Amino acid sequence: MGPLLLKVWLRVRDSFWFLPLLIALASVGLAAALILLDEIRDEEYADAPWWFYTGSADGARDILATLAGSMITVAGVIFSTTLVALTLASNQYGSRVLRNYTRDRANQLVLGTFIGSFLYALLTLLSVRGETSTFIPQIAITVAIAYALTAFVMLIYFFHHISESLQAENIVASVAEDLHHAVRHHYPTGIGKPPPKGPQTDAHASRAKEAEDAAPVHASRAGYLQAIDGSRLMHLCSRHDLLLRILVRPGNFIFHGVELCRVSPGKALTPELAGALRETFIYGSQRTAVQDVAFPLLQLVDVALIALSPSMNKPHTAISCVDRIGAGINHLAAHELDSPWRLDDQGTLRVIAQPRTFEELCEIAFRQLRENAGRQLHVLVRLMEIFEEILRQCSDESRRSAIRRQARLAFDAGMRDLVEPEDRSVLRTAYARLCSPVPVAPKEK
């Protein structure tokens, strides 16, 4: 699935209305099918079990009217409860976590079940006739009662689920899932192929220099760059024998007229080709985690900063965020990041991307944390422990240097802001343990 279709699909799938709409349509279809089945049979069931409806038309109307009224009433309660949960989550953890609530499958499923049962009962009610020609859809009514019982069981589950989803650890874990998914699909994986392992060839190096003298392609609109359609971009480059240097990355806010990329040879750039290249850059009103690994990192950082604020003062919530951030950085530390050089199927260098470096991701993950955790000893000590664990996974000296730099800056912030000498001593001990020789885990093949 291309990034554009993926963006549309994720936006629809994660919306609050999509699954309830599907359930409502399925309920309408089920009601129509069962009513038709009752009309085809057109006879009463003999020796029916006790749970099967065999009553009169007036009784059927009373049951269905009661079910329809109660289902739509409870659906309103569920919607109101969800709005309250959204308000609480926004106030305590920031507005960026609201997306995790609106895409929650359990909330969508419960709301859809009650709306669907309302529509099912209403349509079944309309089919009941008892004056001139009696028609009682016994199968449909029986299923309506079973549908209602299922809905109320799900109501109990809903209140249990909504109470759990407001817990800080579960909110942090939900955001961390986005981080782990983004780390596993780190941009620019979707563009062409990476060069073979080992030293870059002279041919690729000399071809990379060609992009330095090239024609620019400018943005025709403003917005957040959410993704780049790598397959289409590679197709255009191969078809027109181009070398493209991408100057932006997903997550950047793009201004109108900013250079998106440079095309070499410049003489090959026509207005039509420039328009086709612009279409491979997908914009939106907000950042997403489709190709932007920094976005879920920032979500976790936001939750941690709110927890560290004087008005909240929840260091344990901040520590939960630090743990999840550390897990993501630890995963990156143990693996190779994507090469900026992307090759086509014939092994020709076509695209030079700008993936985020390990040092940049460490700065995004830890800078605001260390600046705001200077008076929180427990958070600082936990940071030191996480830095020590990440150092065990780093086989590359530049990455180890990046982690040591973050540790030193966090230590300096703590020594500057901590007031009690005993707290400084604890932090000094944790930092000294980190600075001691740390055994390096073998590099993963």
Side-chain angles (χ1 to χ4, degrees), residues 106-394:
N107 296 339
Q108 297 175 11
L109 181 62
V110 174
L111 180 62
T113 300
F114 277 90
I115 294 177
S117 60
F118 162 73
L119 292 174
Y120 180 92
L122 185 63
L123 293 177
T124 306
L125 175 62
L126 294 176
S127 68
V128 178
R129 298 188 299 271
E131 288 78 16
T132 55
S133 59
T134 301
F135 174 68
I136 304 173
Q138 294 175 310
I139 298 177
I141 295 172
T142 304
V143 172
I145 297 172
Y147 203 162
L149 293 174
T150 302
F152 279 103
V153 170
M154 295 190 67
L155 179 64
I156 299 173
Y157 166 74
F158 170 76
F159 287 118
H160 166 75
H161 175 76
I162 203 72
S163 62
E164 280 198 333
S165 64
L166 287 174
Q167 297 177 19
E169 290 77 8
N170 292 329
I171 292 176
V172 172
S174 176
V175 179
E177 288 181 7
D178 290 341
L179 173 59
H180 295 156
H181 182 272
V183 166
R184 289 193 301 268
H185 301 82
H186 186 62
Y187 168 82
T189 300
I191 301 179
K193 300 178 180 179
K197 292 184 178 180
Q200 308 289 3
T201 64
D202 293 338
H204 289 160
S206 61
R207 181 166 174 79
K209 293 181 180 179
E210 297 178 17
E212 296 177 1
D213 183 19
V217 175
H218 298 278
S220 59
R221 52 170 295 189
Y224 284 102
L225 181 61
Q226 294 182 333
I228 297 176
D229 192 339
S231 58
R232 186 178 181 187
L233 189 68
M234 187 61 66
H235 172 73
L236 290 171
C237 291
S238 300
R239 178 182 176 185
H240 297 278
D241 192 23
L242 304 176
L243 175 60
L244 204 72
R245 182 184 294 273
I246 300 176
L247 304 178
V248 294
R249 56 168 66 111
N252 291 156
F253 186 85
I254 307 300
F255 292 93
H256 182 276
V258 167
E259 288 188 13
L260 298 174
C261 59
R262 286 183 168 270
V263 179
S264 179
K267 61 183 179 181
L269 184 64
T270 62
E272 294 76 15
L273 178 57
L277 290 173
R278 288 191 191 97
E279 291 178 357
T280 63
F281 293 82
I282 302 167
Y283 299 87
S285 59
Q286 59 186 358
R287 297 174 69 170
T288 67
V290 175
Q291 292 181 355
D292 181 13
V293 70
F295 179 65
L297 275 175
L298 289 173
Q299 283 185 297
L300 287 171
V301 170
D302 278 356
V303 176
L305 295 181
I306 293 174
L308 289 172
S309 64
S311 60
M312 298 295 290
N313 194 23
K314 296 180 178 180
H316 293 292
T317 300
I319 289 175
S320 297
C321 296
V322 169
D323 288 339
R324 298 292 184 169
I325 293 171
I329 297 297
N330 185 65
H331 182 86
L332 291 171
H335 296 79
E336 293 184 7
L337 298 184
D338 295 315
S339 170
W341 294 9
R342 314 306 295 178
L343 315 180
D344 61 12
D345 293 335
Q346 287 70 41
T348 304
L349 179 63
R350 293 298 182 188
V351 174
I352 304 173
Q354 285 198 5
R356 294 189 185 274
T357 65
F358 182 78
E359 292 76 10
E360 288 176 321
L361 292 173
C362 286
E363 190 70 11
I364 291 171
F366 298 116
R367 179 176 182 177
Q368 294 184 76
L369 284 176
R370 68 172 190 259
E371 290 176 350
N372 290 270
R375 294 183 179 273
Q376 296 289 347
L377 176 63
H378 296 299
V379 178
L380 290 171
V381 171
R382 184 57 186 151
L383 273 174
M384 296 302 167
E385 294 171 350
I386 287 175
F387 290 146
E388 183 179 356
E389 183 60 34
I390 295 175
L391 284 175
R392 298 180 188 276
Q393 302 296 326
C394 285

Side-chain angles (χ1 to χ4, degrees), residues 29-42 127 135 137 140:
L30 178 63
L34 293 181
I35 291 171
L36 179 61
L37 179 61
D38 277 309
E39 287 180 344
I40 293 174
R41 186 170 179 83
D42 196 22
S127 68
F135 174 68

